Amino acid sequence: MSGTARDRPPGPGPVPPDPAATGPAGGDPAPEGTTQPLAGVRVLELASFIAGPFCTMLLADFGAEVVKAEPPGEGDPMRQWGVHLDDGRSLWWPVIGRNKKSVTLDLRRPRGQALARALAQRVDILVENFRPGTLERWGLAPADLHALHPGLVIVRISGFGQTGPYRHRAGFGSVAEAMGGLRYLTGYPDRPPVRVGLSIGDTLAGLFAAYGAVVALREREARGRGRVVELGITDAVVAVLESVLTEYSRLGVVRERTGNILPGIAPSNLYPTAEGSWVVIGANADSVFARLCRAMGRPELAQDPRYATHTARGQRQQELDELVAAWTRTLPRAALLALLEEHGVPAGPVYTAADVAHDPHYRARGTVREVQDPAFGRLLMQGPVPFFDGGGGAIRWTGPPLGAHNEEIYGGWLGLGAEELRALRAEGVI
């Protein structure tokens, strides 16, 4: 998958294993003689904010050598972003910058553009998320890069994509979530649409972009040439609309906001407990509903014509939800969940960040990991997924300091000497 990247120096030295992995699924070091799935793949990240960096984080988690080029001085804005900061420092950067190498590079300067072209000839994948036309203005158009390196896979992420009437518009994930139809479906019918509490549009785009990059690498093995992989954040949001568009095209139905329920799917909702917390129960299949009825001590409900079939339950959704809620609020959460587990009814509590952090299941699998960060010390963060037998994703290091790998990359990859690096720094190019 990496056969056409050029002039590779020896790879970096060994790094310590992820200290929080506790089993094969959690990403323990691979058995001797095995490597991470994307080991040997080189990636140049010319991206900022979320979508592009999330794409490259996914690739880096599975062994790709990702070099992130950042503007000198401030670097990627993600170094300052986050809902909550620690003494002004981002707690998002250690996650989205993990496993990457940072170099400084001013792409607006001709010498910076020349360095980018040189770096692009030594990687397998280039990822960018600028507005369409930006690479072209910098002399980094795909045709120009492919003339230098025909095997290069170029991944382009933007608000609306490289084609179409909206291609030149500025676009953030929030706009894409709205125009992709997701915001309209989120919330309650009697209130305005709301956002998910995360940058879901950007991360969906990053996920699809990483998928596209790996597909293009696989194709390159047979074709011998790299492709341009491009998507808008809007495309990624529309791609997960399930049957929303087909419902409209066939029936003329516009799906509306429904809060915590899907109309006609019952019982499947949030239900209260005795201490005022909430539990999700999904028991809409006939067999599962029968098990729920037994857990409730009401086995006859499964045979009651009002509730015996999927259609009947959907027609009496509110009535059935009230009946289930009247039962759940008599039990403490722990007792309720234990009873539902005993009867094989899918159920779970609504977790906060603290609950996720301390859940033993997530710790055992490596879904949540504790890592060492040079600036913050011990940090919890989400681990790489999916899991592979024999070695998969790993957190080798957290987001590095700005420009920490300038000497390694410019010296090792491009052969620049100390004097030339000093001159580039003095000019503000790196």
Side-chain angles (χ1 to χ4, degrees):
M1 295 172 71
S2 56
T4 60
R6 304 177 180 180
D7 304 326
R8 300 182 180 282
V15 295
D18 178 4
T22 56
D28 269 349
E32 188 174 352
T34 66
T35 59
Q36 286 190 282
L38 294 181
V41 174
R42 277 185 172 172
V43 181
L44 176 61
E45 179 193 314
L46 306 180
S48 60
F49 292 105
I50 306 169
F54 188 78
C55 166
T56 55
M57 184 200 80
L58 297 176
L59 300 174
D61 281 350
F62 289 92
E65 183 181 10
V66 175
V67 173
K68 178 178 179 63
E70 305 180 67
E74 293 298 320
D76 190 324
M78 295 304 297
R79 292 179 178 274
Q80 286 82 43
W81 272 35
V83 177
H84 300 287
L85 304 177
D86 184 332
D87 194 25
R89 298 173 298 178
S90 169
L91 290 165
W92 199 346
W93 171 249
V95 181
I96 203 166
R98 70 190 187 193
N99 295 329
K100 302 179 186 180
K101 297 177 179 180
S102 170
V103 299
T104 48
L105 183 62
D106 189 344
L107 289 168
R108 291 168 176 79
R109 295 172 178 254
R111 291 199 70 184
Q113 295 156 10
L115 286 174
R117 282 190 289 274
L119 292 173
Q121 293 178 64
R122 290 161 173 80
V123 300
D124 301 288
I125 303 169
L126 182 149
V127 177
E128 65 99 1
N129 65 348
F130 299 107
R131 196 184 299 193
T134 303
L135 283 192
E136 287 77 2
R137 289 198 303 274
W138 291 341
L140 300 170
D144 298 329
L145 295 176
H146 279 151
L148 298 170
H149 181 3
L152 181 65
V153 172
I154 302 172
V155 179
R156 312 192 72 177
I157 309 169
S158 59
F160 297 92
Q162 301 294 316
T163 62
Y166 303 155
R167 64 188 180 277
H168 292 303
R169 291 185 183 180
F172 267 19
S174 55
V175 176
E177 291 161 25
M179 294 184 67
L182 182 61
R183 288 282 182 100
Y184 187 78
L185 296 171
T186 309
Y188 287 88
D190 59 341
R191 283 169 254 178
V194 300
R195 70 170 295 155
V196 177
L198 299 165
S199 302
I200 192 69
D202 288 293
T203 51
L204 282 172
L207 182 60
F208 278 111
Y211 170 63
V214 174
V215 170
L217 280 183
R218 177 67 180 88
E219 184 201 41
R220 190 180 73 176
E221 294 177 356
R223 188 169 177 260
R225 294 182 62 85
R227 276 189 187 262
V228 175
V229 179
E230 70 97 356
L231 76 156
I233 304 174
T234 43
D235 301 320
V237 174
V238 171
V240 298
L241 287 184
E242 299 177 353
S243 62
V244 168
L245 293 178
T246 49
E247 292 165 4
Y248 171 73
S249 68
R250 178 65 177 171
L251 304 174
V253 174
V254 174
R255 194 184 294 188
E256 301 288 342
R257 293 182 294 284
T258 56
N260 288 317
I261 66 167
L262 286 175
I265 308 298
S268 182
N269 206 335
L270 279 173
Y271 300 95
T273 67
E275 65 266 62
S277 62
W278 296 90
V279 167
V280 171
I281 300 174
N284 44 291
D286 290 351
S287 59
V288 182
F289 179 65
R291 296 199 294 270
L292 173 62
C293 294
R294 289 195 291 273
M296 295 170 63
R298 301 284 303 278
E300 74 282 357
L301 292 177
Q303 307 303 321
D304 189 318
R306 295 174 298 169
Y307 313 123
T309 67
H310 175 81
T311 300
R313 290 191 296 275
Q315 291 170 346
R316 295 171 175 80
Q317 186 164 24
Q318 183 175 349
E319 172 186 319
L320 186 54
D321 276 340
E322 290 173 356
L323 190 154
V324 174
W327 171 68
T328 62
R329 66 168 48 97
T330 67
L331 296 169
R333 187 177 83 170
L336 173 62
L337 290 171
L339 186 59
L340 292 169
E341 181 179 356
E342 178 185 338
H343 285 81
V345 178
V350 178
Y351 270 1
T352 66
D355 297 319
V356 173
H358 294 290
D359 188 288
H361 179 79
Y362 292 144
R363 291 299 191 96
R365 286 181 56 77
T367 308
V368 172
R369 302 193 185 183
E370 187 177 84
V371 299
Q372 183 71 30
D373 180 85
F376 297 110
R378 290 302 224 187
L379 288 177
L380 288 183
M381 67 176 63
Q382 56 273 38
V385 294
F387 302 123
F388 291 73
D389 61 343
I395 302 173
R396 302 185 300 282
W397 61 84
T398 56
L402 181 63
H405 300 90
N406 279 355
E407 283 74 17
E408 176 187 341
I409 301 304
Y410 291 131
W413 286 23
L414 304 185
L416 302 186
E419 189 63 37
E420 190 166 4
L421 290 176
R422 277 194 291 271
L424 290 169
R425 286 193 189 94
E427 293 174 26
V429 175
I430 66 172

